[in-house]
Amino acid sequence: MSDTAARPGARARRSPAPGTPTHEHISLAETWLASNYHPLPVVISHAEGAWVTDVEGRRYLDALAGYSALNFGHLHPALVAAARAQLDRLTLTSRAFHSDRLGPFCRDLATLAGKELVLPMNTGAEAVETAIKTARRWGYEVKGVPDGRARIIVMAGNFHGRTTTIISLSDDPIARDHYGPYTPGFDTVPFGDLGALEAAITDDTVAVLLEPIQGEGGVILPPDGWLRGVRDLTRRANVLLLADEIQSGLGRTGSTFACDLEGVVPDVYILGKALGGGIVPVSAVVADRDVLGVFTPGSHGSTFGGNPLAAAVGHAVVDLLATGDYQQRARQMGAHLAAGLEELVGHGIDAVRCRGLWAGIDIDPALMTGREASHRLLERGVLVKDTHGSTVRLAPPLVVGEAEVDLLLDALRDILR
Ligand SMILES: Cc1ncc(COP(=O)(O)O)c(C=O)c1O
């Protein structure tokens, strides 16, 4: 972990000049890629730790970290070593055969989570889909809900991924519109409203699916005690609690899982992003045998799920988390970040929400949009991304040092002046 921040180099331009490598790469992307993203005008070619370098040699502090997929920074030596060693041995078996990597990875991931079983997948959305299938099957086979009637309660403002079923439970028109017909079986209640949740539970409810902190929504924190209330309620109603910790988990909030902050143990952890160390897509559903035991051979699967390369990297990630160092780092650096951000409230920032090394900041809309703020930070050598209008999400890699957090705060002060 680094404590000395290198300063960013020459400044990026908002409209890259024709003939520059940046302009050429962006033109290629705009010509050949479907435009389902709107990236900032920077073309990255190298990275290490919390820093990335663009095609013109300019350096930037990465304060987004792949939306938490790079919790351990770019090219973490232990993770790269695990990937390299595995690349020379075995990369794929499919689950038609065993590999010598998968068992040890799943044993240690289950142990980290305090659970009995792991179901490995690849992307976050696949893990959420797997959790939904788990809950429905559990509902029919264990709880005794009549077949085809299972319902799952979800939260307003959620983000769980992009598949047709998952966007069916989203209330974000940009994610949803014109992708119907939608998958039925979901009921939406306001995030943080225990009374509404209680009222929505019926005999057919098999699960409550939630993010303990809504990341894509803008690092939205529920009221204190809400998650504990949800846990009590779901336990009493014989309803599974599915915690989507794809973005909030694996050290980001200063604990292994965001649920830990409230002392809550869900029935199912849904993990992704940082589990692959920013190297390969690795996701997983982690739960006890009475829940994940509902699967039988052939009833679910994925060709690449649990492949040896993914298992080797995922195992190295679990080893890093087992030390507790990264969680502690997130707490320490997060406290420093939060203190600096709080000082900016009323000075161009309307509100700040922080947990560990994760912050949502609402820029005063009279001053600029979140997109404009991201542009200005880019010009000052700091990479962030806006979400929902005037909100900017900060999620630097957990390896940042105090000087790098200061650099981020200085850049923010500068653009808000
Ligand atoms: C909470 C949450 N769930 C699920 C997903 C989907 O993960 P993926 O993009 O790997 O499919 C994301 C991605 O941002 C997320 O933040």
Side-chain angles (χ1 to χ4, degrees):
M1 298 185 197
S2 85
D3 267 312
T4 48
R7 311 302 297 186
R11 291 177 173 188
R13 291 172 58 142
R14 180 174 308 224
S15 308
T20 59
T22 301
H23 188 269
E24 270 170 42
H25 283 286
I26 291 176
S27 300
L28 269 180
E30 286 176 352
T31 306
W32 292 102
L33 271 86
S35 50
N36 57 327
Y37 279 91
H38 186 199
L40 292 169
V42 55
V43 182
I44 298 164
S45 61
H46 293 77
E48 193 182 354
W51 291 88
V52 305
T53 306
D54 77 5
V55 283
E56 295 178 44
R58 291 177 293 232
R59 300 184 77 227
Y60 306 82
L61 177 66
D62 182 356
L64 183 67
Y67 304 99
S68 285
L70 289 154
N71 276 0
F72 310 100
H74 295 267
L75 303 186
H76 188 291
L79 304 182
V80 171
R84 284 223 173 94
Q86 194 57 39
L87 276 172
D88 285 336
R89 285 220 288 128
L90 175 73
T91 56
L92 186 65
T93 54
S94 82
R95 295 286 306 278
F97 314 108
H98 293 278
S99 86
D100 62 350
R101 285 296 175 204
L102 191 51
F105 164 51
C106 292
R107 175 198 61 208
D108 290 357
L109 177 58
T111 304
L112 182 79
K115 297 288 187 190
E116 292 171 347
L117 292 178
V118 173
L119 202 169
M121 298 298 284
N122 308 285
T123 64
E126 282 176 296
V128 172
E129 288 273 351
T130 302
I132 290 169
K133 288 170 87 171
T134 306
R136 286 182 171 182
R137 212 168 154 106
W138 175 88
Y140 301 132
E141 296 180 4
V142 179
K143 182 168 175 170
V145 172
D147 200 33
R149 294 242 312 249
R151 302 201 66 82
I152 294 177
I153 300 177
V154 300
M155 302 300 135
N158 70 67
F159 184 85
H160 296 289
R162 301 290 193 170
T163 65
T164 33
T165 286
I166 294 173
I167 57 103
S168 299
L169 56 93
S170 165
D171 54 10
D172 178 357
I174 299 178
R176 241 182 101 87
D177 282 359
H178 298 160
Y179 292 130
Y182 301 106
T183 306
F186 300 100
D187 301 303
T188 306
V189 299
F191 184 61
D193 184 339
L194 206 54
L197 177 63
E198 185 161 21
I201 293 177
T202 70
D203 290 346
D204 293 337
T205 305
V206 295
V208 171
L209 168 64
L210 54 81
E211 300 152 86
I213 295 169
Q214 292 187 329
E216 193 67 25
V219 191
I220 307 296
L221 308 172
D224 281 346
W226 173 76
L227 196 59
R228 270 196 306 280
V230 175
R231 179 65 286 190
D232 290 346
L233 201 54
T234 48
R235 200 169 269 134
R236 272 189 278 123
N238 194 24
V239 164
L240 296 179
L241 175 54
L242 318 177
D244 180 345
E245 293 254 17
I246 288 168
Q247 196 168 151
S248 60
L250 307 183
R252 173 57 55 193
T253 62
S255 58
T256 303
F257 303 108
C259 283
D260 299 342
L261 300 173
E262 288 245 1
V264 162
V265 178
D267 298 295
V268 173
Y269 289 106
I270 309 171
L271 306 176
K273 290 196 193 282
L275 194 56
I279 298 176
V280 277
V282 186
S283 66
V285 167
V286 187
D288 280 336
R289 195 171 298 277
D290 58 348
V291 177
L292 265 184
V294 295
F295 288 105
T296 49
S299 60
H300 188 52
S302 157
T303 305
F304 282 87
N307 69 74
L309 182 60
V313 174
H315 201 169
V317 164
V318 171
D319 283 347
L320 292 183
L321 285 166
T323 65
D325 292 349
Y326 291 86
Q327 297 88 325
Q328 192 194 9
R329 186 80 169 187
R331 284 195 297 277
Q332 278 172 355
M333 292 303 128
H336 188 58
L337 177 66
L341 290 175
E342 289 296 342
E343 284 176 13
L344 294 175
V345 175
H347 302 278
I349 289 183
D350 284 348
V352 166
R353 298 169 295 277
C354 285
R355 276 295 178 279
L357 207 40
W358 203 22
I361 55 177
D362 299 338
I363 309 274
D364 177 356
L367 214 57
M368 68 187 98
T369 61
R371 176 86 188 172
E372 176 64 20
S374 305
H375 268 289
R376 292 192 189 181
L377 286 170
L378 171 71
E379 287 163 354
R380 284 157 183 78
V382 174
L383 301 186
V384 301
K385 191 71 170 58
D386 54 303
T387 183
H388 296 287
S390 54
T391 301
V392 170
R393 191 177 0 169
L394 307 178
L398 310 183
V399 297
V400 285
E402 214 170 277
E404 285 154 334
V405 173
D406 287 340
L407 193 148
L408 167 58
L409 290 167
D410 285 347
L412 261 175
R413 268 182 223 113
D414 204 20
I415 67 159
L416 296 170
R417 248 198 273 273

PDB file of all heavy atoms in Angstrom, residues 17 39 59 67 74 106 108 113 162 172 176 184 186 203 208 257 268-269 275 281 294 307 313 370 378 389 392 410:
ATOM      1  N   ALA A  17      -7.633  16.926 -29.027  1.00  0.00           N
ATOM      2  CA  ALA A  17      -7.282  17.550 -30.308  1.00  0.00           C
ATOM      3  C   ALA A  17      -7.160  16.488 -31.397  1.00  0.00           C
ATOM      4  O   ALA A  17      -6.589  15.419 -31.165  1.00  0.00           O
ATOM      5  CB  ALA A  17      -5.970  18.298 -30.147  1.00  0.00           C
ATOM      6  N   PRO A  39     -18.353   7.245 -21.936  1.00  0.00           N
ATOM      7  CA  PRO A  39     -17.124   7.391 -21.132  1.00  0.00           C
ATOM      8  C   PRO A  39     -16.590   8.811 -21.142  1.00  0.00           C
ATOM      9  O   PRO A  39     -16.850   9.569 -22.078  1.00  0.00           O
ATOM     10  CB  PRO A  39     -16.116   6.472 -21.838  1.00  0.00           C
ATOM     11  CG  PRO A  39     -16.845   5.776 -22.935  1.00  0.00           C
ATOM     12  CD  PRO A  39     -18.141   6.488 -23.166  1.00  0.00           C
ATOM     13  N   ARG A  59      -0.830  10.871 -16.115  1.00  0.00           N
ATOM     14  CA  ARG A  59      -1.212   9.995 -15.001  1.00  0.00           C
ATOM     15  C   ARG A  59      -2.427  10.558 -14.273  1.00  0.00           C
ATOM     16  O   ARG A  59      -2.582  11.775 -14.150  1.00  0.00           O
ATOM     17  CB  ARG A  59      -0.047   9.840 -14.020  1.00  0.00           C
ATOM     18  CG  ARG A  59       1.184   9.229 -14.685  1.00  0.00           C
ATOM     19  CD  ARG A  59       2.260   8.994 -13.676  1.00  0.00           C
ATOM     20  NE  ARG A  59       1.986   7.811 -12.872  1.00  0.00           N
ATOM     21  CZ  ARG A  59       2.090   7.774 -11.557  1.00  0.00           C
ATOM     22  NH1 ARG A  59       2.452   8.835 -10.888  1.00  0.00           N
ATOM     23  NH2 ARG A  59       1.827   6.657 -10.910  1.00  0.00           N
ATOM     24  N   TYR A  67     -15.787   0.770 -10.205  1.00  0.00           N
ATOM     25  CA  TYR A  67     -17.002   0.637  -9.374  1.00  0.00           C
ATOM     26  C   TYR A  67     -16.802  -0.427  -8.293  1.00  0.00           C
ATOM     27  O   TYR A  67     -17.674  -1.261  -8.061  1.00  0.00           O
ATOM     28  CB  TYR A  67     -18.220   0.257 -10.225  1.00  0.00           C
ATOM     29  CG  TYR A  67     -18.527   1.198 -11.358  1.00  0.00           C
ATOM     30  CD1 TYR A  67     -18.123   0.909 -12.659  1.00  0.00           C
ATOM     31  CD2 TYR A  67     -19.229   2.386 -11.136  1.00  0.00           C
ATOM     32  CE1 TYR A  67     -18.415   1.769 -13.709  1.00  0.00           C
ATOM     33  CE2 TYR A  67     -19.517   3.246 -12.184  1.00  0.00           C
ATOM     34  CZ  TYR A  67     -19.106   2.933 -13.463  1.00  0.00           C
ATOM     35  OH  TYR A  67     -19.393   3.774 -14.496  1.00  0.00           O
ATOM     36  N   HIS A  74      -4.944  -1.553  -9.078  1.00  0.00           N
ATOM     37  CA  HIS A  74      -4.592  -2.161 -10.363  1.00  0.00           C
ATOM     38  C   HIS A  74      -3.357  -3.036 -10.179  1.00  0.00           C
ATOM     39  O   HIS A  74      -2.396  -2.643  -9.508  1.00  0.00           O
ATOM     40  CB  HIS A  74      -4.273  -1.079 -11.397  1.00  0.00           C
ATOM     41  CG  HIS A  74      -5.452  -0.224 -11.742  1.00  0.00           C
ATOM     42  ND1 HIS A  74      -6.287  -0.494 -12.801  1.00  0.00           N
ATOM     43  CD2 HIS A  74      -5.960   0.890 -11.169  1.00  0.00           C
ATOM     44  CE1 HIS A  74      -7.239   0.430 -12.873  1.00  0.00           C
ATOM     45  NE2 HIS A  74      -7.063   1.283 -11.883  1.00  0.00           N
ATOM     46  N   CYS A 106     -13.484 -22.230  -2.835  1.00  0.00           N
ATOM     47  CA  CYS A 106     -14.834 -22.184  -2.262  1.00  0.00           C
ATOM     48  C   CYS A 106     -14.806 -22.427  -0.745  1.00  0.00           C
ATOM     49  O   CYS A 106     -15.548 -21.791   0.006  1.00  0.00           O
ATOM     50  CB  CYS A 106     -15.749 -23.179  -2.967  1.00  0.00           C
ATOM     51  SG  CYS A 106     -16.064 -22.672  -4.673  1.00  0.00           S
ATOM     52  N   ASP A 108     -12.441 -21.509   1.315  1.00  0.00           N
ATOM     53  CA  ASP A 108     -11.972 -20.303   2.003  1.00  0.00           C
ATOM     54  C   ASP A 108     -12.930 -19.126   1.839  1.00  0.00           C
ATOM     55  O   ASP A 108     -13.053 -18.294   2.742  1.00  0.00           O
ATOM     56  CB  ASP A 108     -10.557 -19.944   1.517  1.00  0.00           C
ATOM     57  CG  ASP A 108      -9.536 -20.962   2.032  1.00  0.00           C
ATOM     58  OD1 ASP A 108      -9.939 -21.868   2.795  1.00  0.00           O
ATOM     59  OD2 ASP A 108      -8.347 -20.863   1.677  1.00  0.00           O
ATOM     60  N   ALA A 113     -17.063 -15.879   4.688  1.00  0.00           N
ATOM     61  CA  ALA A 113     -18.437 -15.395   4.821  1.00  0.00           C
ATOM     62  C   ALA A 113     -19.187 -16.067   5.974  1.00  0.00           C
ATOM     63  O   ALA A 113     -20.324 -15.703   6.267  1.00  0.00           O
ATOM     64  CB  ALA A 113     -19.182 -15.623   3.509  1.00  0.00           C
ATOM     65  N   ARG A 162     -28.098  -6.049 -15.349  1.00  0.00           N
ATOM     66  CA  ARG A 162     -28.670  -5.656 -16.643  1.00  0.00           C
ATOM     67  C   ARG A 162     -29.428  -6.737 -17.385  1.00  0.00           C
ATOM     68  O   ARG A 162     -29.784  -6.537 -18.542  1.00  0.00           O
ATOM     69  CB  ARG A 162     -27.531  -5.182 -17.545  1.00  0.00           C
ATOM     70  CG  ARG A 162     -26.741  -4.012 -17.007  1.00  0.00           C
ATOM     71  CD  ARG A 162     -27.545  -2.767 -17.018  1.00  0.00           C
ATOM     72  NE  ARG A 162     -26.708  -1.582 -16.799  1.00  0.00           N
ATOM     73  CZ  ARG A 162     -27.142  -0.348 -16.952  1.00  0.00           C
ATOM     74  NH1 ARG A 162     -28.383  -0.125 -17.307  1.00  0.00           N
ATOM     75  NH2 ARG A 162     -26.343   0.678 -16.724  1.00  0.00           N
ATOM     76  N   ASP A 172     -35.622   2.207 -12.725  1.00  0.00           N
ATOM     77  CA  ASP A 172     -34.900   3.236 -13.456  1.00  0.00           C
ATOM     78  C   ASP A 172     -35.286   3.159 -14.938  1.00  0.00           C
ATOM     79  O   ASP A 172     -34.963   2.181 -15.616  1.00  0.00           O
ATOM     80  CB  ASP A 172     -33.390   2.999 -13.284  1.00  0.00           C
ATOM     81  CG  ASP A 172     -32.548   3.995 -14.058  1.00  0.00           C
ATOM     82  OD1 ASP A 172     -33.121   4.840 -14.771  1.00  0.00           O
ATOM     83  OD2 ASP A 172     -31.308   3.913 -13.950  1.00  0.00           O
ATOM     84  N   ARG A 176     -34.606   0.291 -17.989  1.00  0.00           N
ATOM     85  CA  ARG A 176     -35.776  -0.568 -18.239  1.00  0.00           C
ATOM     86  C   ARG A 176     -36.473  -0.388 -19.580  1.00  0.00           C
ATOM     87  O   ARG A 176     -36.933  -1.362 -20.170  1.00  0.00           O
ATOM     88  CB  ARG A 176     -36.817  -0.168 -17.179  1.00  0.00           C
ATOM     89  CG  ARG A 176     -37.246  -1.180 -16.239  1.00  0.00           C
ATOM     90  CD  ARG A 176     -38.297  -0.556 -15.344  1.00  0.00           C
ATOM     91  NE  ARG A 176     -39.620  -0.960 -15.785  1.00  0.00           N
ATOM     92  CZ  ARG A 176     -40.211  -2.065 -15.383  1.00  0.00           C
ATOM     93  NH1 ARG A 176     -39.623  -2.864 -14.539  1.00  0.00           N
ATOM     94  NH2 ARG A 176     -41.414  -2.367 -15.827  1.00  0.00           N
ATOM     95  N   PRO A 184     -42.270 -11.275 -14.279  1.00  0.00           N
ATOM     96  CA  PRO A 184     -43.131 -10.983 -13.118  1.00  0.00           C
ATOM     97  C   PRO A 184     -42.557 -11.576 -11.824  1.00  0.00           C
ATOM     98  O   PRO A 184     -41.554 -12.286 -11.857  1.00  0.00           O
ATOM     99  CB  PRO A 184     -44.444 -11.661 -13.494  1.00  0.00           C
ATOM    100  CG  PRO A 184     -44.052 -12.792 -14.392  1.00  0.00           C
ATOM    101  CD  PRO A 184     -42.766 -12.381 -15.090  1.00  0.00           C
ATOM    102  N   PHE A 186     -42.055  -9.690  -8.753  1.00  0.00           N
ATOM    103  CA  PHE A 186     -41.310  -8.778  -7.871  1.00  0.00           C
ATOM    104  C   PHE A 186     -42.224  -7.679  -7.347  1.00  0.00           C
ATOM    105  O   PHE A 186     -43.080  -7.177  -8.075  1.00  0.00           O
ATOM    106  CB  PHE A 186     -40.124  -8.161  -8.625  1.00  0.00           C
ATOM    107  CG  PHE A 186     -39.161  -9.207  -9.130  1.00  0.00           C
ATOM    108  CD1 PHE A 186     -39.191  -9.609 -10.462  1.00  0.00           C
ATOM    109  CD2 PHE A 186     -38.269  -9.821  -8.258  1.00  0.00           C
ATOM    110  CE1 PHE A 186     -38.326 -10.594 -10.933  1.00  0.00           C
ATOM    111  CE2 PHE A 186     -37.396 -10.813  -8.725  1.00  0.00           C
ATOM    112  CZ  PHE A 186     -37.432 -11.196 -10.060  1.00  0.00           C
ATOM    113  N   ASP A 203     -47.838 -14.661   2.140  1.00  0.00           N
ATOM    114  CA  ASP A 203     -47.457 -16.070   2.266  1.00  0.00           C
ATOM    115  C   ASP A 203     -46.598 -16.528   1.080  1.00  0.00           C
ATOM    116  O   ASP A 203     -45.872 -17.513   1.169  1.00  0.00           O
ATOM    117  CB  ASP A 203     -48.706 -16.961   2.343  1.00  0.00           C
ATOM    118  CG  ASP A 203     -49.445 -16.769   3.658  1.00  0.00           C
ATOM    119  OD1 ASP A 203     -48.843 -16.158   4.584  1.00  0.00           O
ATOM    120  OD2 ASP A 203     -50.616 -17.191   3.751  1.00  0.00           O
ATOM    121  N   VAL A 208     -36.371 -11.241   0.316  1.00  0.00           N
ATOM    122  CA  VAL A 208     -36.163  -9.794   0.177  1.00  0.00           C
ATOM    123  C   VAL A 208     -34.765  -9.634  -0.402  1.00  0.00           C
ATOM    124  O   VAL A 208     -33.801 -10.186   0.136  1.00  0.00           O
ATOM    125  CB  VAL A 208     -36.263  -9.085   1.547  1.00  0.00           C
ATOM    126  CG1 VAL A 208     -35.838  -7.626   1.430  1.00  0.00           C
ATOM    127  CG2 VAL A 208     -37.676  -9.190   2.101  1.00  0.00           C
ATOM    128  N   PHE A 257     -18.114  -7.235   4.800  1.00  0.00           N
ATOM    129  CA  PHE A 257     -19.410  -7.010   4.145  1.00  0.00           C
ATOM    130  C   PHE A 257     -20.060  -5.781   4.770  1.00  0.00           C
ATOM    131  O   PHE A 257     -19.890  -5.516   5.959  1.00  0.00           O
ATOM    132  CB  PHE A 257     -20.338  -8.219   4.347  1.00  0.00           C
ATOM    133  CG  PHE A 257     -19.730  -9.510   3.852  1.00  0.00           C
ATOM    134  CD1 PHE A 257     -19.298 -10.479   4.741  1.00  0.00           C
ATOM    135  CD2 PHE A 257     -19.571  -9.736   2.493  1.00  0.00           C
ATOM    136  CE1 PHE A 257     -18.721 -11.658   4.279  1.00  0.00           C
ATOM    137  CE2 PHE A 257     -18.994 -10.909   2.021  1.00  0.00           C
ATOM    138  CZ  PHE A 257     -18.567 -11.866   2.919  1.00  0.00           C
ATOM    139  N   VAL A 268     -28.199 -15.086   2.283  1.00  0.00           N
ATOM    140  CA  VAL A 268     -27.442 -15.255   1.039  1.00  0.00           C
ATOM    141  C   VAL A 268     -26.594 -14.002   0.788  1.00  0.00           C
ATOM    142  O   VAL A 268     -27.124 -12.887   0.787  1.00  0.00           O
ATOM    143  CB  VAL A 268     -28.416 -15.463  -0.151  1.00  0.00           C
ATOM    144  CG1 VAL A 268     -27.665 -15.475  -1.480  1.00  0.00           C
ATOM    145  CG2 VAL A 268     -29.215 -16.756   0.018  1.00  0.00           C
ATOM    146  N   TYR A 269     -25.288 -14.203   0.589  1.00  0.00           N
ATOM    147  CA  TYR A 269     -24.432 -13.118   0.097  1.00  0.00           C
ATOM    148  C   TYR A 269     -24.317 -13.264  -1.414  1.00  0.00           C
ATOM    149  O   TYR A 269     -24.051 -14.368  -1.914  1.00  0.00           O
ATOM    150  CB  TYR A 269     -23.011 -13.222   0.671  1.00  0.00           C
ATOM    151  CG  TYR A 269     -22.872 -12.901   2.133  1.00  0.00           C
ATOM    152  CD1 TYR A 269     -22.660 -13.922   3.063  1.00  0.00           C
ATOM    153  CD2 TYR A 269     -22.919 -11.592   2.595  1.00  0.00           C
ATOM    154  CE1 TYR A 269     -22.503 -13.637   4.417  1.00  0.00           C
ATOM    155  CE2 TYR A 269     -22.768 -11.292   3.945  1.00  0.00           C
ATOM    156  CZ  TYR A 269     -22.560 -12.320   4.848  1.00  0.00           C
ATOM    157  OH  TYR A 269     -22.403 -12.030   6.183  1.00  0.00           O
ATOM    158  N   LEU A 275     -14.162  -9.640  -6.248  1.00  0.00           N
ATOM    159  CA  LEU A 275     -13.814 -11.056  -6.088  1.00  0.00           C
ATOM    160  C   LEU A 275     -12.884 -11.510  -7.210  1.00  0.00           C
ATOM    161  O   LEU A 275     -12.112 -12.450  -7.040  1.00  0.00           O
ATOM    162  CB  LEU A 275     -15.097 -11.899  -6.055  1.00  0.00           C
ATOM    163  CG  LEU A 275     -15.006 -13.335  -5.577  1.00  0.00           C
ATOM    164  CD1 LEU A 275     -14.396 -13.438  -4.180  1.00  0.00           C
ATOM    165  CD2 LEU A 275     -16.383 -14.007  -5.587  1.00  0.00           C
ATOM    166  N   PRO A 281     -13.580 -11.782 -14.462  1.00  0.00           N
ATOM    167  CA  PRO A 281     -14.897 -11.718 -13.829  1.00  0.00           C
ATOM    168  C   PRO A 281     -15.116 -12.945 -12.949  1.00  0.00           C
ATOM    169  O   PRO A 281     -15.016 -14.072 -13.440  1.00  0.00           O
ATOM    170  CB  PRO A 281     -15.884 -11.691 -15.001  1.00  0.00           C
ATOM    171  CG  PRO A 281     -15.108 -11.938 -16.238  1.00  0.00           C
ATOM    172  CD  PRO A 281     -13.652 -12.048 -15.901  1.00  0.00           C
ATOM    173  N   VAL A 294     -30.619 -26.559  -2.455  1.00  0.00           N
ATOM    174  CA  VAL A 294     -31.769 -26.849  -3.329  1.00  0.00           C
ATOM    175  C   VAL A 294     -31.331 -27.208  -4.754  1.00  0.00           C
ATOM    176  O   VAL A 294     -32.109 -27.789  -5.510  1.00  0.00           O
ATOM    177  CB  VAL A 294     -32.771 -25.666  -3.404  1.00  0.00           C
ATOM    178  CG1 VAL A 294     -33.413 -25.430  -2.051  1.00  0.00           C
ATOM    179  CG2 VAL A 294     -32.118 -24.397  -3.943  1.00  0.00           C
ATOM    180  N   ASN A 307     -14.163 -21.339 -13.098  1.00  0.00           N
ATOM    181  CA  ASN A 307     -13.018 -21.850 -13.868  1.00  0.00           C
ATOM    182  C   ASN A 307     -11.717 -21.689 -13.068  1.00  0.00           C
ATOM    183  O   ASN A 307     -11.631 -20.846 -12.162  1.00  0.00           O
ATOM    184  CB  ASN A 307     -12.944 -21.185 -15.246  1.00  0.00           C
ATOM    185  CG  ASN A 307     -12.563 -19.730 -15.179  1.00  0.00           C
ATOM    186  OD1 ASN A 307     -11.422 -19.383 -14.941  1.00  0.00           O
ATOM    187  ND2 ASN A 307     -13.554 -18.856 -15.347  1.00  0.00           N
ATOM    188  N   VAL A 313      -7.514 -16.604  -8.877  1.00  0.00           N
ATOM    189  CA  VAL A 313      -7.508 -15.168  -8.537  1.00  0.00           C
ATOM    190  C   VAL A 313      -8.446 -14.914  -7.353  1.00  0.00           C
ATOM    191  O   VAL A 313      -8.093 -14.196  -6.403  1.00  0.00           O
ATOM    192  CB  VAL A 313      -7.908 -14.314  -9.768  1.00  0.00           C
ATOM    193  CG1 VAL A 313      -8.036 -12.851  -9.373  1.00  0.00           C
ATOM    194  CG2 VAL A 313      -6.884 -14.476 -10.895  1.00  0.00           C
ATOM    195  N   GLY A 370     -23.114  16.523 -12.154  1.00  0.00           N
ATOM    196  CA  GLY A 370     -22.109  15.532 -11.776  1.00  0.00           C
ATOM    197  C   GLY A 370     -21.174  15.235 -12.940  1.00  0.00           C
ATOM    198  O   GLY A 370     -19.979  15.000 -12.751  1.00  0.00           O
ATOM    199  N   LEU A 378     -11.272  15.244 -14.055  1.00  0.00           N
ATOM    200  CA  LEU A 378     -10.398  14.598 -15.049  1.00  0.00           C
ATOM    201  C   LEU A 378      -9.296  15.577 -15.470  1.00  0.00           C
ATOM    202  O   LEU A 378      -8.119  15.213 -15.569  1.00  0.00           O
ATOM    203  CB  LEU A 378     -11.237  14.169 -16.255  1.00  0.00           C
ATOM    204  CG  LEU A 378     -10.467  13.676 -17.481  1.00  0.00           C
ATOM    205  CD1 LEU A 378      -9.847  12.312 -17.208  1.00  0.00           C
ATOM    206  CD2 LEU A 378     -11.385  13.573 -18.706  1.00  0.00           C
ATOM    207  N   GLY A 389     -27.580  12.534 -12.175  1.00  0.00           N
ATOM    208  CA  GLY A 389     -27.635  14.001 -12.191  1.00  0.00           C
ATOM    209  C   GLY A 389     -26.477  14.678 -11.513  1.00  0.00           C
ATOM    210  O   GLY A 389     -25.398  14.815 -12.074  1.00  0.00           O
ATOM    211  N   VAL A 392     -21.805  12.483  -7.498  1.00  0.00           N
ATOM    212  CA  VAL A 392     -20.544  11.879  -7.926  1.00  0.00           C
ATOM    213  C   VAL A 392     -20.187  10.815  -6.899  1.00  0.00           C
ATOM    214  O   VAL A 392     -20.313  11.034  -5.687  1.00  0.00           O
ATOM    215  CB  VAL A 392     -19.414  12.935  -8.016  1.00  0.00           C
ATOM    216  CG1 VAL A 392     -18.061  12.272  -8.220  1.00  0.00           C
ATOM    217  CG2 VAL A 392     -19.697  13.915  -9.157  1.00  0.00           C
ATOM    218  N   ASP A 410      -8.132  18.018  -2.616  1.00  0.00           N
ATOM    219  CA  ASP A 410      -7.646  19.280  -3.193  1.00  0.00           C
ATOM    220  C   ASP A 410      -8.290  19.532  -4.555  1.00  0.00           C
ATOM    221  O   ASP A 410      -8.708  20.650  -4.858  1.00  0.00           O
ATOM    222  CB  ASP A 410      -6.115  19.252  -3.383  1.00  0.00           C
ATOM    223  CG  ASP A 410      -5.379  19.404  -2.062  1.00  0.00           C
ATOM    224  OD1 ASP A 410      -6.040  19.770  -1.061  1.00  0.00           O
ATOM    225  OD2 ASP A 410      -4.166  19.131  -2.024  1.00  0.00           O
TER     226      ASP A 410
END
